Amino acid sequence: MVNSTKQTTPMAANAFFALLLIGMSIYFIQWGLGYTLYQQVGLFMVASFFGIFMAFNIGGNDVANSFGTSVGAGTLTVTQALAIAAIFEVSGAVLAGAAVTDTIRSGIVDIGKLGVSPSQFIYLMLSALIAAAFWLLFATKRGLPVSTTHAIIGGIVGSSIVLGISIGGTELAFSTVKWSKIRDIAISWVVSPVLGGALSYLLYSIIKKNILAYNDKVEVVVKAIKAQKKNLKREQKEYFEKLGEVEKLPYTNAMLRDQEVYKDSDCQREDLETEYYRSLYDLERKRENIDTLKALKTWVPLIAALGAVIMTAMVVFKGLANTGLTLSTLQAGLVMGMLGAMVWLTAFIYTKTIRGKHKEDLGKATFVMFSWMQVFTACAFAFSHGSNDIANAVGPFVAIMDVIKNNAIEAQASVPGPVMVTFGVALIVGLWFIGKEVIQTVGTNLTEMHPASGFAAELAAAAVVMGASSLGIPVSSTHILVGAVLGIGLVNKNTNWRLMRPIGLAWVITLPAAAGISAISFMLLTKFL
């Protein structure tokens, strides 16, 4: 396994990403001031800073978490993961992220029940951004993958309660919080990792039993045959040296005749004169009767096709659907079926073309095939993630910017393109600068990863996210992926359970910690701004 998380980042790249974020931020500020008609400039500047800061920390925690298995398995280096994230995360955010940003503004607190003023609403959302951003930074620097959605929800709850108390007392404040949603979040702390772990355990068990174990068994047999050939040559040399001078000449002639006969593809055992070539013939036939690629040809195309179907569903239903491109169930099913069939055929043809050393070095052949599969799942995961979780930063910020511009609280707010691009860039820069600790945790510290196990974890996580979303079950993609990694560790019996204690604790305290920070931030904002 390649531990790519230990790479040192080049200074030139550090400077490039720092300048990129600074340049985009300056452009965004100039654009935003004009967009908001230069109203409440100071407040807009503060909100922009913390909005971009929140996106930066989402990149460091959530995006790093998504790519942890790929980096830990040695499929991608950190730099390669960054390149994929840069394309697919930002594409998902810009193309499909705008439509999901309204959901973060409602659903957890009945803000309308408080009758808040525009300025109070701004402070409420800004406090939530500040709280979520700092909590994510704290968790990320300690390598703890947490839910960014739970963090922003906790922030909104905390500032809303403080605002509610100031308006109508404790009873009004707590009555605005939809506690059933909080209960669902608490349930997800258990349900999400259990579902992810169970499916990952099942999928990787199938892969390990039918592919990896078969390959290991075949490699042992092939190595034994190679050792027998080596011993046969040694014994032949010893036998020849023991022959008398009179016997050596006819034996050498017989060996030369067998050598010519053996080259013929129609050679039969009875055509050979010497025991050496007969034994060599037996070993070659034994080797030819072993189908070293049987597991790869049978199982990999099926698993790859399953992965294509699930990841396509994730992109269609959780990514492209946000662009307004809605497909009927039949249309979506046909798209998924076509891509699944294409991937099955491609994988099958690829296994048929494996030749030379790869045909016997099954470990390397398996590594290469699952590496390709894992890259594709990582790309789909990144697009879906960018289209959904960017809302945790963009949603509250766009709400603030809309109120600053119109001096009124609208039911919905459009998301301008410069916001999505700037926050998407912040996402990638956050991954580059502070994501390595979380990548280390998910990719190597919880359990050892191989492209096959990394693929199984990502595919299982994607399947659970899709299934839970369609059934309305509250789950966290972060918690699911961590659970999936734990499922791999259970199969391999090398899970680092000690590390799960701080991770589990971080999950539980994310919402209350963000709520507490947000409450303090709200009081400070209302006093000093």
Side-chain angles (χ1 to χ4, degrees), residues 384-512:
S384 178
H385 179 272
S387 66
N388 284 272
D389 284 20
I390 191 69
N392 293 326
V394 173
F397 175 77
V398 168
I400 294 170
M401 191 169 65
D402 190 61
V403 173
I404 292 175
K405 179 182 178 182
N406 301 315
N407 197 31
I409 304 173
E410 304 290 344
Q412 289 186 330
S414 61
V415 182
V419 176
M420 301 305 299
V421 174
T422 304
F423 280 44
V425 168
L427 208 74
I428 302 308
V429 177
L431 169 64
W432 177 261
F433 279 109
I434 64 173
K436 295 177 183 62
E437 286 80 2
V438 175
I439 287 177
Q440 179 82 15
T441 296
V442 176
T444 56
N445 290 350
L446 277 173
T447 188
E448 291 184 3
M449 279 290 168
H450 176 277
S453 58
F455 169 79
E458 289 179 4
L459 185 59
V464 172
V465 169
M466 280 302 306
S469 298
S470 61
L471 296 174
I473 301 173
V475 292
S476 163
S477 58
T478 296
H479 299 177
I480 289 171
L481 187 57
V482 171
V485 172
L486 293 177
I488 300 299
L490 286 173
V491 175
N492 291 331
K493 297 181 173 59
N494 60 359
T495 305
N496 183 2
W497 291 108
R498 182 178 298 178
L499 181 58
M500 268 309 297
R501 284 184 289 182
I503 292 176
L505 180 62
W507 289 356
V508 173
I509 66 175
T510 288
L511 197 149

Side-chain angles (χ1 to χ4, degrees), residues 237-252:
K237 184 179 179 181
E238 292 174 353
Y239 173 78
F240 184 79
E241 289 174 350
K242 291 178 181 179
L243 291 176
E245 291 299 324
V246 177
E247 297 172 304
K248 282 184 178 181
L249 181 59
Y251 185 79
T252 300

Side-chain angles (χ1 to χ4, degrees), residues 316 320-327:
V316 170
L320 293 179
N322 297 325
T323 65
L325 177 64
T326 54
L327 300 177

